[in-house]
């Protein structure tokens, strides 16, 4: 079946400490992307809460059964622009008191929630003054998740998941992999682009990555470099730092041609 | 246990059509590496036979039980320089008439064969005039292989295997992954470095890649760019094209520090 080209976009943010400010920024940036023709838009990791202190995030965790302001905001945006919205991540209530799940929710153009992924791999890093330990505030998910967009299957992952190639293999054959993220400046500079490109090449699919990118009010500095990569591993568009949108095409013909020329996905043995 | 630094090297070749010429080149290049202090040396894929036509390679296939001139050459070189020699690949007799296994043999400093890996993933590629189909002449292996060097475990892979991250996960925790290869110019330019760096980053280990690099008498053009990459994904040394040696250090302390700072290998979930 031949499928049509679709324009897709990633929103880069430098999230503020207050969710309401981030709602306004997200609405504005997604509107920009939609005006440029994007029919699928990806927000970055923790876009409503990234600017606040770790310990405050749990206070904004939402329930799936009783949508809070973050979910309502995303549903509204998707419906308003008639787009697929992959909502970066938000904190969702977890079974452990004081901890959350770091969750991607996906909304269709009717504003309906159609998929959910809870981040599986939790980051920890220590080097000199820099130190992170996500498991202090986050409970990991355990289920691989994908959804069907008009151009094919979309695989969901979040930030640190990018270091684990087996997650992407477990998704099966995707046309697009998304990576909402908030890589640190240090690890982002060293590893972000090379890992994104490797996932595109080895899975022969598009990779869309939406990052936090800049200096946050809580003192964290994120790497940015939101980008769209094609199934041959070429970076089609990138935004280094600061708020903004990267936008480009999913071309199903291009993807099929690459897989015909180099049928690597049919050569898996292990 | 604290282990010492060891110098390791990859030999880059532009193999000639006649094995005897390649024996001379390999001896000369490994001697160069050994003189610079290398204690482990990697040869490129099909170093004795890469310059001849595909259909002629089977005529040089060797048996494991009755070592032929290629195996004797490698054993001699290892013993002469008292080094670990990872013998790129050579054609080995297969169960299918007219086809071979594409095999890495490893020799210890006494010249004894201590490990064997038969290439698992077979390359095929078609684009315009360029066309390759390794399964016409090669029978795939099916067994993951590693060996123990003084600094830790070494994982064996060959060329096209590089596109399959699950192979490297199946090796377990290696200090070094080796990739003897003969990437085409087209796929090498697009994918070689990014995939090598990704394997180093995601497996937090050194990657040593020995390539064929130049225009071969049989008309093939290979990408070259033999290189050593550290466990943080940094290219430490690289040779673009032509015969030569790349050399650098395995530093077990550096590897351990990276794994302590960012304990990603302990975070695998799938």
């Amino acid at each position: 079946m031949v499928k049509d080209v679709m324009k897709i976009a990633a929103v880069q943010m430098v999230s503020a400490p207050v969710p309401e400010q981030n709602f306004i920024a997200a609405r504005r940036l997604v509107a920009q992307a939609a005006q440029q023709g994007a029919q699928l838009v990806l927000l970055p990791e923790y876009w409503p809460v990234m600017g606040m202190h770790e310990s405050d995030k749990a206070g904004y965790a939402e329930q799936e059964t009783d949508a809070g302001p973050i979910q309502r905001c995303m549903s509204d945006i998707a419906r308003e622009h008639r787009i697929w919205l992959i909502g970066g991540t938000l904190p969702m209530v977890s079974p452990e008191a004081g901890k959350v799940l770091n969750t991607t929710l996906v909304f269709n153009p009717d504003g309906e929630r159609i998929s959910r992924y809870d981040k599986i791999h939790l980051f920890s890093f220590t080097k000199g003054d820099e130190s992170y330990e996500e498991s202090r505030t986050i409970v990991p998910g355990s289920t691989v998740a994908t959804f069907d967009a008009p151009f094919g299957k979309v695989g969901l992952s979040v930030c640190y998941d990018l270091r684990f190639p087996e997650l992407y293999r477990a998704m099966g054959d995707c046309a697009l992999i998304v990576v909402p993220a908030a890589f640190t400046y240090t690890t982002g500079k060293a590893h972000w682009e090379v890992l994104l490109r490797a996932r595109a090449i080895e899975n022969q699919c598009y990779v869309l990555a939406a990052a936090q990118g800049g200096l946050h009010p809580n003192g964290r500095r994120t790497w940015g470099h939101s980008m769209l990569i094609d199934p041959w591993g070429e970076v089609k568009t990138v935004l280094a730092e600061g708020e903004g949108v990267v936008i480009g095409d999913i071309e199903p013909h291009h993807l099929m041609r690459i897989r015909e020329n180099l049928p690597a996905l049919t050569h898996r043995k292990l």
Side-chain angles (χ1 to χ4, degrees), chain A:
Chain A
M1 187 176 64
V2 178
K3 289 168 176 167
D4 291 337
V5 171
M6 186 188 267
K7 218 172 263 303
I8 66 173
V11 164
Q12 184 159 293
M13 292 177 67
V14 191
S15 290
V18 184
E20 289 68 25
Q21 281 180 269
N22 298 319
F23 294 171
I24 294 167
R27 284 181 181 279
R28 177 168 40 79
L29 292 161
V30 176
Q32 266 182 35
Q35 280 154 21
Q36 291 176 60
Q39 293 178 269
L40 178 150
V41 180
L42 173 67
L43 295 171
E45 187 179 19
Y46 265 172
W47 65 272
V49 297
M50 184 69 200
M52 66 180 66
H53 286 286
E54 287 301 328
S55 52
D56 294 339
K57 288 172 187 166
Y60 294 89
E62 299 200 354
Q63 305 267 8
E64 193 169 318
T65 47
D66 178 21
I70 305 171
Q71 288 175 79
R72 286 199 301 272
C73 175
M74 292 193 285
S75 172
D76 284 353
I77 293 175
R79 202 172 45 242
E80 180 184 344
H81 298 290
R82 304 284 314 153
I83 58 169
W84 302 80
L85 185 71
I86 306 173
T89 70
L90 79 162
M92 295 285 278
V93 168
S94 85
E96 287 186 50
K99 293 191 182 184
V100 301
L101 291 149
N102 186 349
T103 301
T104 300
L105 298 177
V106 182
F107 299 85
N108 70 14
D110 293 325
E112 297 161 346
R113 192 181 56 228
I114 57 155
S115 191
R116 171 179 180 156
Y117 169 69
D118 303 314
K119 186 181 186 180
I120 291 176
H121 300 95
L122 302 183
F123 180 55
S124 74
F125 180 62
T126 316
K127 194 175 184 187
D129 290 344
E130 272 190 287
S131 179
Y132 306 96
E133 186 74 48
E134 288 188 334
S135 61
R136 279 196 211 114
T137 57
I138 300 175
V139 174
S142 58
T143 307
V144 177
T146 65
F147 73 95
D148 290 316
F151 52 76
K153 190 157 77 165
V154 180
L156 300 172
S157 69
V158 178
C159 199
Y160 188 57
D161 283 332
L162 183 58
R163 294 182 184 274
F164 301 87
E166 57 273 19
L167 172 63
Y168 302 91
R169 293 308 215 189
M171 291 172 179
D173 181 0
C174 291
L176 172 67
I177 285 167
V178 297
V179 190
F183 258 60
T184 72
Y185 189 86
T186 307
T187 59
K189 190 173 182 181
H191 299 154
W192 172 246
E193 182 177 316
V194 62
L195 290 177
L196 290 170
R197 289 185 59 206
R199 299 300 165 248
I201 294 165
E202 70 205 18
N203 297 296
Q204 304 196 298
C205 66
Y206 286 88
V207 170
L208 182 66
Q212 297 276 351
L215 195 58
H216 299 260
N218 60 6
R220 275 185 75 163
R221 187 174 177 195
T222 45
W223 174 243
H225 292 79
S226 298
M227 62 180 76
L228 174 65
I229 301 169
D230 85 351
W232 194 242
E234 280 185 22
V235 177
K236 306 307 284 183
T237 173
V238 58
L239 174 63
E241 274 199 308
E243 265 189 16
V245 168
V246 296
I247 193 162
D249 290 328
I250 294 254
E251 298 180 68
H253 278 94
H254 179 56
L255 184 149
M256 280 189 297
R257 208 160 38 236
I258 285 167
R259 292 183 183 184
E260 281 166 16
N261 290 345
L262 181 51
L265 294 179
T266 70
H267 294 154
R268 289 186 59 188
K269 296 290 188 78
L270 301 177

